[in-house]
Amino acid sequence: MAATSSTATTHLIVGSTSRLHNTRTTKFFQNGVVLTQKKTLSLRRRRSASIPPTAVLPFDLSPPPIDHDLLETVKSEGAKISGEGIVETFGNDGEALDAADNGVAAVDLSHFGRIRVSGDDRIQFLHNQSTANFEILREGQASFERLWVFCLGCDTVFVTPTARTIDIAHAWIMKNAVILVVSPLTCSSITEMLNRYVFFADKVEIQDITKQTCLFVVVGPKSNQVMRDLNLGDLVGEAYGTHRHYSVNGMPITVGVGNVISEEGFSLLMSPAAAGSVWETLLSQGAVPMGSNAWEKLRIIKGRPAPGKELTNEFNVLEAGLWNSISLDKGCYKGQETISRLITYDGLKQRLWGICLSAPAEPGSPIIVDGKKVGKLTSYTLGRKESDHFGLGYIKRKDALGGDTVTVGDNIVGTVVEVPFLARQSPPLLSKSSSS
């Protein structure tokens, strides 16, 4: 358990403009710092003439390995931990899912991969290796830096040369690096793949910083209020991927808008030494802890594709519906020729849907319409009630639309439905058949 801070006065640099004073002794979280008594605080922002922007804006993640107490902290709250150190459940999966719908939940996603891409050529490198337009983000970043406030971010997809999906990466564009959040299944392979494409003259360095950092996400409609209560309300209402750097007892923490499952909520990236205190603080603000089992259920219900299930060599990035992560007008990048051809010639044969099921179903089961196989179930979960069953699956475009009835496996009845993650994607204007 992290010790309560007894420091009489704590100083915080946000961008280069904030200073926070405090004089009491009860622990709480203020502007990213575990502080003392919430009363008698004076917060003011001013531009510091003595510290240039480059001295405070960089968030270089190179801390030494630190023994931290996060797992002990969550164990004391009833968490079941896997052999790999993943928090599987707090024994409250139903409550946590309800909080994600109606309140606020906190999830430890520290087992997800974090890759740091640095060097002078990092933006152009990622621009060429994935689907998002990083060059535009760099221009926007420069504008934001002049305001001394925020940094930008986006989702991007790593694909094969034939546009088959490898993984979605949530990218934060920082002053000296880009941080990529990826699936635990793909972190190692993506790191290796990126290193293979770094040529001798490229000023690019790839680091897997998963073990040197921790990642929490906050989800649910009351997430904004939690941020305001923590005096982090300046992020509320900002664009998806926007993030800002803070300090927790002298250790860096980045808080960003959105998370790997939704454009709502927030993500927190920090040093392991700060993780225990930050976690306790989130729970003290009313966040319900959620384990990875409930998170996987939430992923399927929300419709977020995952590697090894919806994101495989069997399906391309457009069939997965990841339109918001794809630039259609930037220059050449891996998979671009295939993507352009699919759009130009209306070449999408299938698309990803949610499916409300009448009974449990095995991923990999065929989806059938009028006795003919038209797709495949890729994920399944129990719904919020034990009588509810839900899945994700690819279905041929010409054979089913939202609201249609299908058969999954031998005799399981399914209703095709839209899901939130895919519903917010914005494909280009295509023919009527291509938008179905």
Side-chain angles (χ1 to χ4, degrees), residues 397-412:
R397 289 171 50 208
K398 63 182 181 180
D399 290 301
L401 300 173
D404 288 351
T405 298
V406 298
T407 301
V408 178
D410 292 331
N411 55 8
I412 298 167

Side-chain angles (χ1 to χ4, degrees), residues 279-341:
W279 180 259
E280 287 183 314
T281 300
L282 292 173
L283 300 195
S284 76
Q285 295 296 317
V288 176
M290 176 184 286
S292 61
N293 293 347
W295 177 258
E296 172 65 4
K297 187 186 296 282
L298 185 65
R299 176 196 74 80
I300 296 171
I301 293 170
K302 294 292 186 183
R304 203 274 196 182
K309 297 177 180 180
E310 292 76 35
L311 307 181
T312 71
N313 203 41
E314 192 174 349
F315 311 108
N316 68 58
V317 64
L318 300 185
E319 292 169 337
L322 303 178
W323 295 97
N324 292 358
S325 307
I326 303 168
S327 172
L328 302 179
D329 54 10
K330 73 172 185 173
C332 184
Y333 60 94
K334 189 193 298 183
Q336 183 259 346
E337 184 177 346
T338 299
I339 290 171
S340 296
R341 218 170 31 241

Side-chain angles (χ1 to χ4, degrees), residues 101-172:
D101 282 341
N102 303 303
V104 58
V107 194
D108 176 16
L109 294 186
S110 297
H111 59 292
F112 272 57
R114 270 89 64 202
I115 301 170
R116 183 178 190 266
V117 183
S118 59
D120 292 345
D121 298 330
R122 64 190 180 278
I123 296 296
Q124 185 62 49
F125 177 77
L126 288 172
H127 188 83
N128 294 338
Q129 294 300 322
S130 67
T131 59
N133 192 329
F134 279 86
E135 291 289 352
I136 287 180
L137 283 171
R138 174 161 60 184
E139 294 168 7
Q141 175 85 1
S143 299
F144 269 84
E145 284 171 1
R146 285 195 291 273
L147 298 175
W148 299 50
V149 181
F150 298 113
C151 300
L152 303 181
C154 69
D155 283 347
T156 192
V157 186
F158 290 103
V159 298
T160 70
T162 56
R164 304 293 173 168
T165 48
I166 298 172
D167 199 0
I168 314 168
H170 185 55
W172 279 347

